Amino acid sequence: MKVAIVTDSTAYIPAAVREEWKIHMVPLNVVFGDESYREEIDIETGEFYNMVKQTEELPKTSQPAIGDVLETYESLAKEDYDAIVSIHLSSGISGTYQAAVSAGSMVEGINVHCFDSEISARIQGFYVMEAAEMAQKGASVEEILDRLQEMKQTMRAYFMVDDLSHLRRGGRLSGAQAMVGSMLQVKPVLHFVEGKIVPFEKVRTRKKAMKRIISLFEEDAASGKPIRAVAIHANQEQEAITVKEDLEKRFDNVEVLTSYIGPVIGTHLGEGSFGFGWYVK
Ligand code: MYR
């Protein structure tokens, strides 16, 4: 069986890796005024953070048009694929997954199976890479979807933002409306519950929030189980590298990648945010 793997730009899998693993990508858009940029195609991450510093009007984001997703599926239907597995950022924060489901119901000649990662960024990318590796080995759709569900059982992620106003402005912070005013003064540790972003714990400083996130990981790492993790930065690469090196030195059962928060997720989190995600391999 030949299964095509599709994802969206917010998995932040670099172009060279996508090419090597035949991962097809549908971009979300970041919009500055009247200009719309397709993430990972028209705009680089570094360029995005510079633009945010230089413009007064803050950017907005938009999901891919159903027509664009459909075009991707139609071109795969014309190739020799038997089915498509399409993996997307959480349906609780974006309409992208729903757009994929709609496009999947319209395309002719191929079945599309959409997977809601209930997360985003390179943590979503963990699912994409696993699916791509399995697809290259000839796994069936059922085998791939079963494995993705299995991964979800141990997948954990926490993140912090330097300035909560971005998340509040974009309306992506749930379950904390009464707390939001007071939380603007703190650096809350956030996480996803049922696909939505909710506060996990209130912490006073950025340093303490980072420490708390890492301590949550250390609890799992201490089990000795083989763990794959990712440290995700928003324009502060050295911080992610330092976290990776420190953890890999201390835990020999742990592999830590580093990745970035690109324009679309960066619009909602802001520069200086930091995320950490992991699963038991
Ligand atoms: C859209 O316009 O459809 C895109 C909306 C994206 C919302 C992003 C909200 C923040 C996600 C944080 C992920 C953190 C992972 C460590």
Side-chain angles (χ1 to χ4, degrees):
M1 185 166 208
K2 206 168 165 220
V3 181
I5 304 302
V6 175
T7 189
D8 57 69
S9 55
T10 70
Y12 300 125
I13 297 176
V17 179
R18 292 200 307 269
E19 201 169 311
E20 181 183 349
W21 290 95
K22 295 191 170 49
I23 296 164
H24 305 270
M25 187 274 284
V26 184
L28 278 80
N29 311 293
V30 64
V31 186
F32 283 90
D34 297 334
E35 270 321 301
S36 179
Y37 301 85
R38 291 168 304 166
E39 180 176 58
E40 302 278 59
I41 297 175
D42 304 325
I43 186 165
E44 295 286 329
T45 295
E47 193 184 348
F48 162 78
Y49 287 109
N50 283 338
M51 281 169 77
V52 171
K53 279 181 205 131
Q54 282 157 16
T55 49
E56 283 189 4
E57 198 183 336
L58 289 164
K60 296 189 170 77
T61 61
S62 68
Q63 67 193 56
I66 295 176
D68 292 341
V69 187
L70 184 59
E71 223 172 82
T72 301
Y73 292 165
E74 279 172 347
S75 76
L76 293 169
K78 283 184 200 133
E79 294 181 33
D80 58 344
Y81 287 110
D82 302 303
I84 296 172
V85 170
S86 205
I87 300 167
H88 297 286
L89 79 160
S90 177
S91 61
I93 54 170
S94 170
T96 304
Y97 170 80
Q98 206 42 58
V101 170
S102 303
S105 68
M106 291 173 195
V107 65
E108 284 171 18
I110 196 158
N111 282 328
V112 180
H113 305 263
C114 295
F115 179 80
D116 182 350
S117 73
E118 298 183 56
I119 184 78
S120 184
R122 188 56 174 78
I123 305 153
Q124 171 189 339
F126 280 146
Y127 293 112
V128 179
M129 290 309 300
E130 187 87 2
E133 285 179 36
M134 290 181 75
Q136 286 217 357
K137 287 183 189 146
S140 67
V141 167
E142 291 68 30
E143 285 167 330
I144 294 173
L145 293 176
D146 282 355
R147 173 63 186 141
L148 299 186
Q149 285 302 344
E150 184 185 46
M151 287 171 74
K152 233 183 212 184
Q153 305 312 308
T154 63
M155 196 67 75
R156 291 181 74 187
Y158 296 91
F159 59 104
M160 48 143 290
V161 296
D162 211 31
D163 176 358
L164 203 56
S165 67
H166 299 282
L167 261 182
R168 195 168 67 152
R169 190 168 49 92
R172 259 61 178 208
L173 184 62
S174 305
Q177 292 324 310
M179 289 164 69
V180 163
S182 62
M183 285 205 319
L184 287 174
Q185 314 311 321
V186 298
K187 309 283 176 207
V189 172
L190 304 162
H191 69 154
F192 278 79
V193 174
E194 290 170 3
K196 289 195 188 315
I197 300 172
V198 296
F200 174 73
E201 217 168 83
K202 277 202 215 178
V203 182
R204 287 249 148 251
T205 63
R206 189 176 189 281
K207 201 169 158 195
K208 284 190 178 149
M210 289 281 293
K211 221 171 149 198
R212 180 64 179 126
I213 291 173
I214 300 306
S215 79
L216 288 159
F217 171 70
E218 286 165 344
E219 286 167 17
D220 271 12
S223 70
K225 290 180 184 159
I227 288 179
R228 182 171 288 137
V230 62
I232 306 173
H233 67 91
N235 218 18
Q236 297 196 334
E237 189 178 16
Q238 192 48 53
E239 188 169 54
I241 294 173
T242 305
V243 168
K244 166 192 166 66
E245 289 176 350
D246 174 57
L247 289 172
E248 285 184 340
K249 219 178 284 163
R250 291 196 288 128
F251 295 96
D252 55 15
N253 54 320
V254 159
E255 174 199 358
V256 185
L257 320 181
T258 62
S259 182
Y260 55 94
I261 290 168
V264 168
I265 302 301
T267 296
H268 295 271
L269 298 190
E271 191 168 359
S273 306
F274 176 83
F276 201 84
W278 68 92
Y279 71 102
V280 177
K281 281 196 253 178

